[in-house]
Amino acid sequence: EGFPEAGEGDIEFELIIGPPREYDGYGDDDYGDGSGDGLETAIWFDEFRNLAIPIRYTSGGFVMLGSVGDGVTLFRITTDEPTSISAEVQVVGEAHGDSVMFIIDSNGFIIAEDDDGGIDGGSLVYDASLDQPGEYYIAVTSFPNWPNRDDFGYVEGFPRGGEGDFRFKLTVGPPREYDYDDGDFGGGEPYPDDGIGANCIEEVAHFSQYIPITNGRGIGAGEVGVGYSAFELVIDEPSYVTIEVVVTEVRQGVSYADSDSMLSLFGTDGLWYASDHDGGLEGASRIESAWLSQPGTYYAIVTTFPNEPETEYGFFSILHPAGESNIAFDLVVRTDFAAQ
């Protein structure tokens, strides 16, 4: 007799009519038959390792920027022990993008996948188990580019079949509970957009702000919540240097509204020189009379507790997109060739 006037959604859609398809048993998340919708493989699994961006994952997390069009963008994660992760793809910039994400082990078995679980066409996996130490891949594509699989269900590779072309931010961290709310990272308040870490000192240098030092004194200004704020200092002669974070505004952070900053000093080669947590006023940081025996360029990194750069053999290793406070501050630098 007809349809009642009911329905809880308002959508645009495409109706596709074609020859009958066989059910392949891969689940209801694939588009078509779960094998790239009939497109030939163009990017083979055997090539993944050479094409993937290498990431060393620790218990904290990381954020990487990438872009994808009709192919696939790959990230290779190496773990030293079994662990579990969450992963989210957020489209950035003005372009719209419908991403699809897959987490794949070193044999080609898909551990987890998602299409529209994130924000505005982004992808989100709450909890993926990396059961064995070793290498795993995170593959990001543009809808509807699903991988082709062999007769045993393992990834053969990806076709070129995506419909979008966009930039994205990939966030990987500890597993999340199923309470997604506007891009939070592990629960609590939403993480700010500046939550990008660094995988090498060259990244820190690229995003650093130069502070001119005149007559033994320099001052810069910045803000930091999740992530870091970096400053470039040029020392003309061997000197003692004092660096102090002077908080000018306390904002609501991920967990706290306080001035709990952390401060570190590195050379251009990543060599660690000094760090401080609570040496300044009201939880702010102050490095007192660090001796710099060589003229040159140095980088002061300001973060919020407990996000301190990790070092390996005394050199910069990694800086996570973490931190629990949110502050604006002045960075005051004083140098002296004599002991202070």
Side-chain angles (χ1 to χ4, degrees):
E1 297 179 357
F3 291 93
E5 294 183 0
E8 298 179 351
D10 185 3
I11 61 173
E12 295 182 1
F13 63 91
E14 293 180 353
L15 175 64
I16 301 174
I17 298 177
R21 301 180 181 181
E22 294 183 2
Y23 176 69
D24 60 13
Y26 287 138
D28 58 5
D29 278 340
D30 42 58
Y31 180 76
D33 62 0
S35 59
D37 200 33
L39 298 178
E40 293 184 0
T41 297
I43 304 166
W44 295 84
F45 182 75
D46 291 344
E47 302 174 304
F48 277 20
R49 197 174 197 282
N50 292 330
L51 296 174
I53 300 170
I55 301 294
R56 188 191 64 183
Y57 178 73
T58 63
S59 59
F62 64 85
V63 175
M64 294 290 290
L65 297 177
S67 61
V68 69
D70 65 349
V72 58
T73 298
L74 296 162
F75 301 86
R76 186 176 79 246
I77 298 177
T78 302
T79 63
D80 296 329
E81 58 185 17
T83 187
S84 294
I85 62 171
S86 66
E88 180 180 10
V89 174
Q90 290 179 279
V91 177
V92 298
E94 298 180 358
H96 171 74
D98 187 355
S99 69
V100 190
M101 175 173 57
F102 305 87
I103 301 178
I104 307 168
D105 70 13
S106 59
N107 296 315
F109 178 74
I110 295 179
I111 298 170
E113 63 183 275
D114 182 70
D115 180 11
D116 291 325
I119 300 173
D120 296 333
S123 306
L124 173 62
V125 170
Y126 286 91
D127 190 348
S129 296
L130 312 185
D131 293 332
Q132 300 293 328
E135 295 183 348
Y136 296 82
Y137 298 99
I138 296 180
V140 180
T141 67
S142 173
F143 179 85
N145 191 2
W146 265 262
N148 290 326
R149 287 179 269 197
D150 64 18
D151 293 339
F152 300 98
Y154 289 91
V155 171
E156 175 187 82
F158 283 85
R160 293 195 176 277
E163 297 177 351
D165 190 352
F166 53 86
R167 296 189 304 118
F168 63 85
K169 179 171 72 173
L170 172 67
T171 303
V172 175
R176 304 182 186 182
E177 295 183 1
Y178 193 81
D179 60 351
Y180 184 80
D181 183 14
D182 293 337
D184 56 274
F185 183 67
E189 295 294 325
Y191 270 51
D193 291 338
D194 65 349
I196 296 178
N199 292 297
C200 59
I201 196 65
E202 288 78 11
E203 287 186 43
V204 174
H206 180 73
F207 292 104
S208 64
Q209 173 190 153
Y210 173 67
I211 297 181
I213 299 175
T214 305
N215 297 324
R217 182 180 173 87
I219 186 168
E223 54 185 39
V224 66
V226 176
Y228 70 95
S229 185
F231 300 83
E232 177 183 330
L233 318 176
V234 177
I235 307 300
D236 294 330
E237 58 182 329
S239 302
Y240 290 92
V241 61
T242 295
I243 309 171
E244 183 172 9
V245 176
V246 179
V247 176
T248 57
E249 182 183 356
V250 175
R251 306 161 179 166
Q252 178 59 52
V254 175
S255 301
Y256 305 112
D258 60 20
S259 54
D260 197 355
S261 69
M262 306 188 79
L263 177 64
S264 302
L265 182 64
F266 290 88
T268 55
D269 58 355
L271 180 64
W272 173 85
Y273 283 88
S275 295
D276 181 70
H277 178 201
D278 291 326
L281 297 174
E282 298 179 352
S285 306
R286 176 186 173 95
I287 292 176
E288 181 74 32
S289 299
W291 173 244
L292 305 180
S293 61
Q294 297 295 325
T297 301
Y298 298 84
Y299 298 103
I301 302 174
V302 181
T303 58
T304 66
F305 177 82
N307 187 22
E308 185 174 20
E310 292 187 13
T311 59
E312 186 172 352
Y313 303 111
F315 287 83
F316 182 97
S317 174
I318 192 170
L319 180 58
H320 300 294
E324 298 180 349
S325 303
N326 191 0
I327 59 173
F329 62 90
D330 291 334
L331 190 72
V332 180
V333 180
R334 300 181 183 88
T335 62
D336 195 340
F337 62 87
Q340 300 181 15

